Amino acid sequence: PQLFDAVARCFDDRDDAVRAAAVEAAAQFGPAALGVLPRLLQLAHDMCPEVRAAAVRAIGALKPPARDAVPELAWLLLDEHT
């Protein structure tokens, strides 16, 4: 739990590379990381394309129920910055 908490705190780092790395690390925790799904969905809207991509990959790795992720991710199909 402490390691995961440390990783999750990095989601708010100012450095894009740190945020992206933290999101990728969170994906390694698998379904145990489902508690941060709401935050990952927020990060899928990040201004940095690398963070957005990492968040989408992490969400896929966590395998959340579709009803929890699809509505929030559907906008990516229409976003010109994606």
Side-chain angles (χ1 to χ4, degrees):
Q2 292 176 338
L3 177 59
F4 183 75
D5 291 343
V7 168
R9 280 193 300 274
C10 292
F11 291 167
D12 296 317
D13 198 277
R14 291 182 184 182
D15 187 304
D16 295 342
V18 171
R19 284 195 318 281
V23 169
E24 290 173 7
Q28 299 305 310
F29 288 88
L34 277 173
V36 297
L37 178 63
R39 185 65 180 116
L40 293 175
L41 289 167
Q42 289 175 342
L43 288 164
H45 296 267
D46 197 275
M47 294 300 296
C48 174
E50 289 80 12
V51 174
R52 286 196 310 267
V56 171
R57 286 191 301 271
I59 292 165
L62 300 184
K63 297 181 171 64
R67 70 178 178 278
D68 295 340
V70 171
E72 192 68 26
L73 294 176
W75 76 273
L76 292 172
L77 298 172
L78 304 173
D79 185 1
E80 64 187 52
H81 300 291
T82 306

